[in-house]
């Protein structure tokens, strides 16, 4: 089975030190101002965080095995301090770098990956649309091929890292025709930032993740070369379902970081907050809730790193896609719902202070809900799990 090694824990310490030094002192202000800390991206690149799953030839770590587990550790530790920075890394690698690395041509990889790995640029992933969320196959964005060029028309919604001053490219899914059975042919096409007809809409007014970059995108007669097709024509939907399996494990790690932060905050507060002349942690109504938090964190972490280990084992040819898919869905479902529960418990323990923005648990509470929605809702995870068990879901 799996276990985190001494090297893993030393790496965790490096990322934790970075997060507490470079992020923690500023995040309250960034969150209040809805500020995307672009300067952190190259710093994370220098730390090697964007290249943990990337070969050396493109500037990555070139790890023989285990790169995905290291990535999850980095996401967890960033997410423990701030979810917005954690999702910037998670999406930057899982949705930006990974599709290019997995399905790109040598030319596409050489063109985009070195800058993405170094943190000089970011890439986005355009799957969700205003009327196509969980039903991603209902995409209405269309791309037509003529005279060696794709012309794209349509819109995407809720796209992370798509409108920063560092965004270099967004990969989108689009209908490029129909299969013989009448089902839409969906392909993936890379659209560089600044392409004529590619408009980044104003940032969303979000409940949480105030320091992450999220935009709607529109494409009006947006033209790119034929060679901007990513992977095989008609394989776009299949490619991105595979990408989402990896992303679900990464979101699990992000959720573990949030739950861990809630556990630490609630434990500290229960020891120091005085009521009726004694710490509130003396009361079982508080201490039992903190104990439940500890159980949730431990279970979520174990499920997450089992899934990450299976992903690394699959990449080494020792585990099946089906095993990874099932483990990813289980980890994502449990960890995200645990994180939401953890923020509710922590806020309750803080009482009235938990409702005040100067206490981090208020931000944790706002940041948590999206975890049960992004990368596949809890309902979708239950459907995937049921199908993995052979049920006719």
């Amino acid at each position: 089975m799996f276990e985190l090694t001494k090297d893993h824990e030393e790496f965790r310490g490096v990322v934790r030190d970075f997060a507490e030094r470079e992020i923690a002192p500023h995040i309250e202000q960034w969150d209040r101002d809805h500020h995307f800390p672009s300067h952190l991206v190259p710093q994370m690149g220098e730390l090697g965080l964007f290249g943990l799953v990337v070969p050396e030839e493109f500037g990555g770590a070139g790890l023989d095995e285990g790169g995905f587990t290291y990535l999850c550790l980095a996401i967890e530790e960033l997410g423990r301090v701030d979810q917005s920075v954690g999702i910037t890394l998670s999406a930057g690698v899982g949705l930006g770098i990974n599709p290019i690395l997995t399905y790109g041509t040598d030319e596409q990889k050489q063109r985009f990956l070195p800058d993405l790995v170094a943190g000089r640029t970011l890439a986005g992933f355009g799957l969700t649309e205003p009327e196509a969320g969980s039903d991603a196959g209902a995409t209405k964005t269309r791309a037509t091929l003529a005279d060696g060029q794709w012309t794209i028309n349509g819109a995407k919604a809720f796209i992370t890292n798509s409108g920063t001053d560092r965004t270099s490219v967004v990969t989108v899914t689009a209908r490029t025709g129909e299969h013989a059975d009448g089902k839409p042919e969906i392909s993936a096409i890379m659209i560089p930032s600044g392409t004529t007809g590619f408009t980044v809409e104003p940032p969303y007014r979000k409940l949480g993740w105030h320091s992450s970059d999220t935009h709607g995108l529109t494409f009006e007669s947006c033209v790119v070369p034929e060679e901007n097709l990513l992977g095989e024509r008609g394989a776009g939907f299949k490619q991105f379902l595979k990408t989402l399996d990896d992303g679900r494990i990464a979101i699990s790690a992000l959720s573990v970081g949030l739950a861990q932060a809630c556990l630490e905050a609630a434990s500290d507060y229960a020891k120091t907050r005085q009521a009726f002349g004694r710490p509130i942690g003396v009361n079982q109504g508080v201490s039992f809730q903190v104990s439940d938090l500890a159980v949730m964190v431990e279970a979520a972490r174990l499920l997450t790193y089992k899934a990450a280990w299976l992903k690394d084992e699959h990449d080494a040819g020792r585990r099946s896609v089906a095993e990874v898919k099932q483990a990813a869905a289980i980890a994502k479902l449990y960890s995200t719902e645990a994180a939401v529960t953890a923020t509710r418990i922590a806020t309750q323990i803080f009482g009235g202070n938990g409702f005040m923005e100067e206490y981090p648990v208020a931000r944790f509470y706002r940041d948590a809900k999206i975890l049960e929605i992004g990368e596949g809702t809890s309902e979708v995870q239950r459907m995937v799990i049921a199908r993995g068990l052979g049920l006719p879901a």
Side-chain angles (χ1 to χ4, degrees):
M1 286 294 289
F2 65 97
E3 65 178 347
L4 296 179
T5 65
K6 180 181 178 182
D7 288 344
H8 284 131
E9 294 300 345
E10 289 178 352
F11 175 75
R12 179 197 292 279
V14 170
V15 181
R16 177 170 291 199
D17 179 69
F18 170 81
E20 293 183 341
R21 184 181 68 252
E22 302 295 337
I23 302 170
H26 313 289
I27 192 55
E28 182 181 350
Q29 187 67 47
W30 293 342
D31 179 78
R32 185 185 303 119
D33 296 341
H34 292 234
H35 170 69
F36 175 73
S38 179
H39 71 283
L40 288 179
V41 178
Q43 291 182 29
M44 290 191 286
E46 290 176 10
L47 206 58
L49 304 188
F50 288 104
L52 291 167
V53 297
V54 180
E56 284 185 286
E57 63 182 298
F58 305 116
L63 298 173
D64 292 332
E65 293 185 14
F68 192 76
T69 297
Y70 279 100
L71 175 62
C72 287
L73 284 166
I75 293 168
E76 178 192 339
E77 287 301 323
L78 294 178
R80 171 181 166 270
V81 172
D82 181 58
Q83 292 282 287
S84 293
V85 179
I87 193 58
T88 299
L89 175 64
S90 177
V93 177
L95 304 181
I97 289 173
N98 192 43
I100 300 171
L101 178 64
T102 306
Y103 304 109
T105 64
D106 288 341
E107 190 278 330
Q108 289 169 338
K109 293 176 184 178
Q110 292 290 349
R111 178 182 176 186
F112 291 106
L113 288 182
D115 284 342
L116 291 170
V117 168
R120 291 186 289 268
T121 61
L122 286 167
F125 165 102
L127 177 65
T128 301
E129 296 189 358
E131 298 182 20
S134 296
D135 184 14
T139 181
K140 293 183 177 180
T141 298
R142 294 184 179 273
T144 57
L145 181 63
D147 301 323
Q149 295 181 316
W150 292 105
T151 301
I152 302 102
N153 287 280
K156 297 294 178 179
F158 315 132
I159 309 305
T160 303
N161 293 343
S162 61
T164 76
D165 59 353
R166 298 185 181 278
T167 304
S168 61
V169 63
V170 176
T171 302
V172 303
T173 51
R175 292 187 178 215
T176 53
E178 286 189 355
H179 292 292
D181 60 4
K183 293 182 179 180
E185 175 190 85
I186 298 177
S187 304
I189 300 173
M190 303 172 70
I191 305 179
S193 298
T195 300
T196 301
F198 174 15
T199 301
V200 178
E201 301 297 337
Y204 291 105
R205 295 174 58 209
K206 297 176 293 186
L207 171 67
W209 286 7
H210 288 170
S211 295
S212 76
D213 179 81
T214 319
H215 297 264
L217 310 175
T218 57
F219 309 97
E220 297 180 4
S221 300
C222 182
V223 178
V224 298
E226 182 177 2
E227 55 266 26
N228 280 30
L229 179 73
L230 182 65
E232 298 178 12
R233 177 169 178 167
F237 188 61
K238 180 180 178 181
Q239 291 170 192
F240 283 112
L241 286 179
K242 172 63 171 60
T243 299
L244 288 175
D245 286 339
D246 299 350
R248 286 166 181 166
I249 305 173
I251 291 293
S252 299
L254 188 63
S255 302
V256 171
L258 182 57
Q260 177 68 41
C262 289
L263 174 60
E264 293 173 10
S267 296
D268 290 344
Y269 195 78
K271 295 171 186 175
T272 58
R273 171 64 171 168
Q274 297 283 320
F276 304 103
R278 57 186 186 175
I280 62 172
V282 169
N283 302 301
Q284 290 180 343
V286 173
S287 62
F288 283 10
Q289 289 191 79
V290 176
S291 299
D292 289 343
L293 259 179
V295 173
M296 286 188 288
V297 170
E298 186 73 9
R301 183 173 282 120
L302 288 170
L303 287 171
T304 296
Y305 286 102
K306 177 185 177 181
W309 169 73
L310 284 170
K311 157 66 177 167
D312 283 328
E313 288 288 290
H314 166 69
D315 290 346
R318 294 189 289 265
R319 293 285 177 162
S320 69
V321 172
E323 287 178 284
V324 177
K325 179 182 288 292
Q326 187 77 341
I330 290 172
K332 205 273 185 183
L333 174 62
Y334 183 83
S335 300
T336 58
E337 294 194 346
V340 171
T341 300
T343 63
R344 180 181 56 77
I345 291 174
T347 303
Q348 188 71 17
I349 289 173
F350 272 70
N353 286 332
F355 200 63
M356 301 298 122
E357 287 290 350
E358 58 262 39
Y359 289 87
V361 292
R363 170 166 47 88
F364 298 162
Y365 193 92
R366 290 187 285 102
D367 285 344
K369 184 57 191 174
I370 188 60
L371 297 170
E372 295 180 319
I373 299 171
E375 304 275 3
T377 64
S378 290
E379 292 77 12
V380 167
Q381 304 316 309
R382 287 182 167 90
M383 180 179 67
V384 171
I385 294 166
R387 288 176 178 174
L389 294 172
L391 296 172

